[in-house]
């Protein structure tokens, strides 16, 4: 695969190889298999740093009448302008190349001990090696004397999983299934090093000879933040399934998991779950109604644990370089001090989920679907809290405090509205609504009023945070200034509040904390997936739509390009109609730049023709054409309303977005 990026200087090339072998022996009672997957990925990137040192940013703010080069062939630049970089120069004079090699080997064995009893064991080995290579040439605006950096990082994972499966049917109506298992996993990640040098006489060798540099960068950035993290996880698990006459269904599971990511006092935890279901359509009194092809009620509750995102050092005392001093010999050496506190009581994040569901089918299953309600509560969320250095060595401690609740409903409907001898239309739609609420961020030991997130930056807004995590509000709650129009001089003013939270008027110089208010949420009210498949004789069309509705997006990109006070940079065309030339506050990130992020996108459209069996050799021949990202319907003014809705800072559009591409593909499927 070789994908040339839509932005100059970006591409991705990948080679993939797979091999699989399987054999049976001992009268087919023993099955052995071995699978190897390997890939090599090479990727070129472009600078995407802050303070305007980003191609994504510079390609917009760079004035269209500024030349790319001077008459003598050198890059055009205006160092007198703040944060003004030539985007073509950023691409041509800076190299950012990454090469990744991955290999995965999986060996499996399965043996039928008895007709009802099987034993399976899997061995998995994964290795990933990543080489990062950067070079800023002697003509680069980012580094005048040349800067080369090389890093090599290895990630390795070994895993063993084994389990017994017992399945037995008694008296034709009682079906019992039992599974017992054990797994062991070890990850050795972030094992690497980096070297950085500056001061090159020539750019000919790029990063291939660091020894030509005159200066070795000996700070943390120069050596990289690579340190081996060994993480182990052990699990014991079991499951019991029982059904009676396919009408009454029961399942119970339990896991006992241990992870070295947590404190020595709480590395192990137990996670049970149970569910029951009633397939009412198998009851005689339901069958006599002759309405339902399938009707099943189900209810379940389970607890799961999360250890993802935490490494072997999360709960341990750590020391590191905290500064420099000159020793008695006049040498500059590191000072060593605490950089994290130990928490031997740190434990798993736990999520308990209760759900009730209904599955149905009518009209010979031409209409079917599901309805499900759920209530999911996550406790013991891990976050870094401020603590007193009179009690701890470091001023922050990682602890289990937070609690978040998600309640929602999900619908799915699958239907065949039209079906004739030559034409059919099948459609399926999924709708979901989720309400997210932060229940707790403090307890008796660790207390904060709120947690500020979403550092949006922007001229004159250093330290400004556009979102807060607060009890009683969702993740992604925007907390901004309230735009109140213009004063008599045409300058934007904002609602002003006193220390008690009372509205006292408007001001052109809002206070960052006191004047911020809840102004919207990034959480969508509704998400949609809609698939349609149409067949006419040998032709078929498939169209898949996605949509998000009822969410807010902070268009910080538009705010940045609406700053009329910045001299010598490009602005949005709309500024001529929307901004006052005297408005020094036009760019301030308020609810003025919060927009409705709703959209409906035709994600995939495929047209195909099936020639069927051509001869004894070609059993099936199908040709197709596919277009991805066909169109989007939205009122959002930015480049794309489909911004990140995950993590702690959803709903932010802030200048570092790679343009979404429209892809056309032609393909052939042949079966021999």
């Amino acid at each position: 695969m070789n994908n040339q990026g839509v932005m100059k200087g970006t591409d991705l090339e990948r080679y993939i190889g797979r091999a699989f072998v399987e054999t049976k022996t001992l009268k087919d009672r023993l099955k052995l298999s071995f699978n190897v997957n390997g890939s090599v990925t090479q990727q070129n990137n472009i600078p995407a740093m802050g303070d305007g040192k980003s191609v994504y940013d510079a390609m917009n703010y760079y004035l269209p009448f500024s030349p790319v080069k001077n008459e003598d062939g050198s890059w055009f630049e205006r160092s007198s302008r703040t944060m003004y970089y030539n985007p073509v120069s950023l691409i041509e004079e800076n190299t950012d190349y990454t090469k990744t090699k991955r290999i995965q080997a999986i060996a499996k064995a399965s043996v039928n001990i008895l007709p009802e009893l099987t034993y399976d064991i899997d061995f998995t080995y994964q290795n990933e090696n990543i080489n990062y290579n950067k070079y800023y040439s002697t003509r680069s605006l980012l580094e005048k004397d040349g800067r080369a950096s090389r890093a090599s990082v290895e990630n390795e994972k070994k895993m063993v999983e084994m389990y017994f499966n017992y399945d037995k049917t008694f008296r034709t109506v009682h079906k019992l299934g039992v599974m017992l298992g054990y797994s062991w996993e070890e990850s050795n990640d972030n094992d690497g090093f980096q070297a950085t040098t500056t001061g090159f006489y020539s750019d000919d060798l790029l990063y291939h000879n660091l020894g030509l540099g005159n200066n070795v960068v000996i700070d943390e950035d120069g050596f990289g933040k690579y340190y081996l993290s060994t993480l182990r996880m052990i699990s014991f698990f079991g499951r019991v399934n029982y059904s009676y006459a396919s009408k009454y269904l029961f399942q119970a599971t339990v896991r006992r998991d241990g992870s070295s990511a947590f404190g020595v006092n709480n590395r192990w935890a137990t996670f049970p779950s149970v569910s029951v279901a009633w397939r009412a359509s198998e009851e005689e009194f339901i069958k006599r109604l002759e309405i339902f092809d399938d009707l099943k009620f189900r209810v379940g509750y389970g607890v799961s644990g999360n250890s993802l995102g935490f490494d072997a050092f999360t709960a341990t005392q750590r020391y590191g370089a905290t500064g420099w001093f000159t020793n008695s010999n006049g040498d500059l050496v590191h000072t060593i001090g605490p950089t994290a506190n130990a928490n031997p009581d740190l434990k798993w994040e736990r999520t308990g989920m209760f759900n009730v569901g209904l599955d149905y089918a009518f009209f010979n299953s031409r209409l079917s679907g599901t309805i499900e309600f759920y209530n999911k509560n996550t406790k013991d969320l891990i976050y870094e809290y401020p603590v007193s250095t009179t009690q701890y060595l470091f001023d922050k401690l990682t602890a289990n405090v937070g609690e978040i609740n998600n309640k929602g409903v999900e619908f799915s409907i699958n239907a065949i509205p039209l079906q004739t001898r030559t034409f059919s239309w099948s459609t399926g739609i999924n709708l979901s609504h989720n309400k997210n609420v932060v229940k707790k961020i403090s307890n008796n030991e660790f207390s904060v009023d709120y947690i500020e997130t979403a550092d949006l930056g922007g001229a004159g807004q250093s330290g400004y945070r556009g979102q807060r995590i607060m009890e009683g509000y969702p993740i992604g709650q925007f907390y901004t200034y309230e735009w109140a129009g213009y004063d008599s001089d045409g300058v934007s003013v904002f609602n002003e509040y006193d220390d008690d939270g009372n509205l006292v008027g408007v001001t052109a110089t809002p206070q960052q904390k006191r004047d911020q208010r809840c102004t919207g949420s990034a959480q969508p009210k509704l998400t949609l997936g809609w698939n349609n498949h149409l067949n006419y004789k040998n032709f078929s069309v498939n169209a898949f739509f996605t949509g998000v509705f009822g969410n807010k997006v902070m268009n910080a990109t538009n705010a940045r390009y609406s700053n009329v006070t910045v001299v010598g940079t490009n602005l949005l065309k709309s500024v001529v109609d929307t901004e006052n030339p005297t408005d020094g506050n036009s760019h301030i990130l308020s609810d003025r730049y919060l927009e409705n992020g709703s959209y409906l996108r035709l994600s995939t459209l495929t047209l195909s023709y099936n020639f069927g069996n051509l001869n004894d050799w070609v059993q099936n021949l199908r040709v197709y054409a596919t277009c991805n990202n066909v169109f989007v319907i939205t009122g959002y003014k930015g480049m794309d309303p489909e911004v990140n809705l995950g993590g702690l800072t959803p709903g932010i559009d802030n200048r570092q977005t790679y343009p979404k591409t429209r892809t056309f593909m032609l393909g052939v499927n042949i079966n021999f």
Side-chain angles (χ1 to χ4, degrees):
M1 179 180 67
N2 191 342
N3 288 344
Q4 298 299 314
V6 294
M7 293 184 65
K8 189 176 182 180
T10 65
D11 60 58
L12 187 145
E13 185 179 71
R14 178 173 293 155
Y15 300 91
I16 302 172
R18 299 187 179 97
F20 175 78
V21 63
E22 180 180 281
T23 186
K24 293 182 179 180
T25 186
L26 300 179
K27 297 182 179 180
D28 291 345
R29 294 179 64 181
L30 175 62
K31 182 170 68 175
L32 302 171
S33 66
F34 184 69
N35 186 21
V36 177
N37 303 315
S39 68
V40 178
T41 303
Q42 302 175 83
Q43 184 173 2
N44 283 296
N45 299 308
I46 52 179
M49 297 177 283
D51 297 330
K53 302 174 183 178
S54 167
V55 177
Y56 303 104
D57 199 6
M59 68 181 184
N60 291 308
Y61 69 62
Y62 195 73
L63 288 170
F65 51 77
S66 290
V68 175
K69 289 188 174 182
N70 299 309
E71 292 183 359
D72 61 2
S74 62
W75 297 108
F76 177 86
E77 53 182 297
R78 283 288 183 269
S79 58
S80 59
R81 295 176 186 170
T82 303
M83 296 186 294
Y84 191 73
Y85 293 86
N86 185 328
V88 182
S89 172
L90 288 176
I91 294 170
E92 297 293 340
E93 298 298 340
N94 302 288
T95 303
D96 187 346
Y97 169 72
T98 302
K99 186 173 184 178
T100 304
K101 298 178 181 179
R102 293 187 178 95
I103 188 170
Q104 180 189 59
I106 304 171
K108 294 185 177 184
S110 178
V111 59
N112 286 98
I113 301 173
L114 297 171
E116 306 86 3
L117 180 64
T118 61
Y119 172 72
D120 292 82
I121 183 169
D122 301 347
F123 299 92
T124 302
Y125 176 81
Q126 296 178 189
N127 184 277
E128 177 183 64
N129 190 276
I130 310 172
N131 288 309
Y132 300 100
N133 307 275
K134 291 185 178 182
Y135 185 76
Y136 302 157
S137 80
T138 54
R139 295 179 297 275
S140 171
L141 303 180
L142 305 179
E143 183 74 38
K144 291 297 184 181
D145 297 325
R147 179 187 178 99
S149 176
R150 302 199 76 174
S152 180
V153 185
E154 183 180 26
N155 300 316
E156 181 186 67
K157 177 181 287 187
K158 294 171 282 188
M159 185 170 67
V160 179
E161 184 175 73
M162 60 187 75
Y163 49 91
F164 290 91
N165 264 318
Y166 178 82
D167 292 288
K168 179 74 172 179
T169 300
F170 303 91
R171 299 181 182 178
T172 70
V173 293
H174 301 279
K175 292 185 177 180
L176 176 67
V178 179
M179 186 268 288
L180 294 174
Y182 165 85
S183 69
W184 175 92
E185 179 182 315
E186 179 181 279
S187 299
N188 294 282
D189 296 329
N190 207 41
D191 183 13
F193 61 90
Q194 176 175 304
T196 302
T197 58
T198 65
F200 286 84
Y201 297 117
S202 171
D203 299 321
D204 291 341
L205 297 180
L206 300 178
Y207 45 76
H208 293 293
N209 191 338
L210 301 186
L212 290 181
N214 289 301
N215 305 300
V216 178
V217 180
I218 59 174
D219 59 16
E220 189 177 48
D221 179 64
F223 289 122
K225 299 179 180 179
Y226 302 111
Y227 43 84
L228 176 63
S229 173
T230 300
L231 191 66
R232 296 183 182 91
M233 182 169 167
I234 297 175
S235 299
F236 300 89
F237 49 90
R239 182 183 67 229
V240 175
N241 293 296
Y242 171 77
S243 70
Y244 174 74
S246 298
K247 292 190 294 186
Y248 310 109
L249 311 173
F250 170 82
Q251 178 176 287
T253 67
V254 64
R255 293 185 63 94
R256 179 69 174 169
D257 294 330
S259 172
S260 60
F262 302 110
V264 293
N265 299 333
N266 282 311
R267 287 181 171 171
W268 288 91
T270 303
F271 306 105
S273 68
V274 62
S275 63
V276 294
W278 174 38
R279 192 177 296 278
S281 55
E282 293 297 315
E283 301 285 0
E284 289 300 324
F285 70 92
I286 296 293
K287 290 181 178 180
R288 286 195 294 269
L289 297 176
E290 297 183 350
I291 298 175
F292 300 99
D293 298 308
D294 185 29
L295 182 64
K296 184 171 75 171
F297 300 92
R298 47 191 169 80
V299 61
Y301 179 78
V303 180
S304 60
N306 177 49
S307 63
L308 297 177
F310 309 112
D311 59 27
F313 306 105
T314 302
T316 59
Q317 181 74 57
R318 302 198 298 274
Y319 295 85
T322 58
W324 299 89
F325 79 99
T326 303
N327 64 14
S328 58
N329 296 325
D331 299 322
L332 194 65
V333 296
H334 274 301
T335 57
I336 303 297
T339 58
N341 291 311
N343 185 355
D345 296 321
L346 192 72
K347 55 188 176 182
W348 289 75
E349 295 182 339
R350 301 173 64 92
T351 297
M353 180 173 175
F354 174 79
N355 66 290
V356 178
L358 169 68
D359 303 331
Y360 60 88
F362 305 93
F363 312 124
N364 293 323
S365 296
R366 287 185 61 176
L367 177 63
S368 62
T370 64
I371 304 173
E372 184 164 352
F373 300 89
Y374 63 87
N375 186 346
K376 184 166 62 174
N377 205 61
T378 303
K379 301 194 301 182
D380 300 324
L381 286 166
I382 295 174
Y383 196 77
E384 197 173 56
Y385 285 82
V387 292
S388 172
T389 53
T390 60
Q391 185 178 359
Y392 296 93
L393 294 175
F394 191 63
D395 62 359
K396 293 182 178 62
L397 179 70
T398 303
N400 301 92
V401 179
E403 182 176 345
I404 294 177
N405 181 262
N406 286 277
K407 294 179 182 177
V409 58
E410 297 179 351
F411 297 91
S412 71
I413 301 174
N414 301 293
I416 306 176
L418 293 173
Q419 190 171 42
T420 68
R421 292 180 58 188
T422 59
F423 178 78
S424 67
W425 170 35
S426 61
T427 183
I429 188 168
N430 294 291
L431 298 169
S432 63
H433 166 73
N434 181 75
K435 183 179 181 182
N436 172 274
V437 177
V438 177
K439 305 287 287 186
K440 186 172 71 171
I441 58 173
S442 298
N443 59 20
N444 294 332
E445 186 176 1
F446 306 102
S447 179
V448 291
D449 294 329
Y450 52 82
I451 298 172
E452 287 189 307
T453 60
D455 185 358
L456 302 179
Q461 300 175 88
S462 177
Y464 177 84
R465 302 292 191 274
Q467 291 181 348
R468 283 186 182 181
I469 300 175
M470 302 182 292
E471 294 180 1
Y473 294 87
I475 296 292
Q477 175 63 56
F478 289 103
Y479 204 79
T480 69
Y481 304 133
E482 296 174 327
W483 188 67
Y486 302 98
D487 62 14
S488 58
D489 296 322
V491 177
S492 288
V493 291
F494 308 87
N495 285 339
E496 183 180 17
Y497 294 86
D498 61 21
D499 292 335
D500 296 322
N502 299 312
L503 180 64
V504 295
V506 296
T507 178
T509 56
Q511 303 298 314
Q512 287 196 354
K513 300 291 188 293
R514 190 177 66 190
D515 295 327
Q516 290 177 243
R517 288 295 180 272
C518 294
T519 51
S521 171
Q523 297 289 339
K525 293 181 172 61
L526 183 69
T527 59
L528 162 76
W530 182 24
N531 193 52
N532 292 273
H533 190 77
L534 296 93
N535 278 311
Y536 176 70
K537 295 184 178 179
N538 290 353
F539 289 95
S540 67
V541 176
N542 194 83
F544 180 63
F545 294 84
T546 59
V548 170
F549 309 94
N551 62 307
K552 293 290 186 180
V553 174
M554 172 57 77
N555 196 341
T557 300
N558 275 20
R560 168 65 175 81
Y561 303 135
S562 298
N563 189 353
V564 298
T565 63
V566 177
V567 178
T569 62
N570 199 17
L571 300 176
L572 293 171
K573 179 181 178 181
S574 59
V575 165
V576 176
D577 301 317
T578 63
E579 307 304 323
N580 297 323
T582 58
D583 189 4
N585 292 337
S586 60
H587 63 292
I588 289 182
L589 291 156
S590 66
D591 59 351
R592 181 187 181 196
Y593 292 104
L594 275 182
E595 298 186 31
N596 187 341
S598 302
Y599 69 88
L600 178 67
R601 185 189 301 275
L602 178 52
S603 294
T604 306
L605 180 65
T606 299
L607 172 65
S608 65
Y609 184 84
N610 196 329
F611 290 91
N613 297 340
L614 298 183
N615 50 48
D616 292 339
W617 290 95
V618 179
Q619 301 299 315
N620 186 64
L621 174 63
R622 173 178 171 266
V623 296
Y624 65 90
T626 296
C627 179
N628 294 325
N629 188 27
V630 184
F631 65 78
V632 60
I633 301 173
T634 183
Y636 183 64
K637 298 176 184 177
M639 183 167 61
D640 195 322
E642 191 173 353
V643 299
N644 178 35
L645 294 179
L648 294 179
T649 57
I652 304 294
D653 179 356
N654 198 15
R655 294 179 285 162
Q656 303 286 11
T657 302
Y658 196 94
K660 188 178 292 292
T661 59
R662 179 175 293 117
T663 306
F664 299 91
M665 294 183 292
L666 298 175
V668 178
N669 292 134
I670 304 176
N671 292 333
F672 297 98

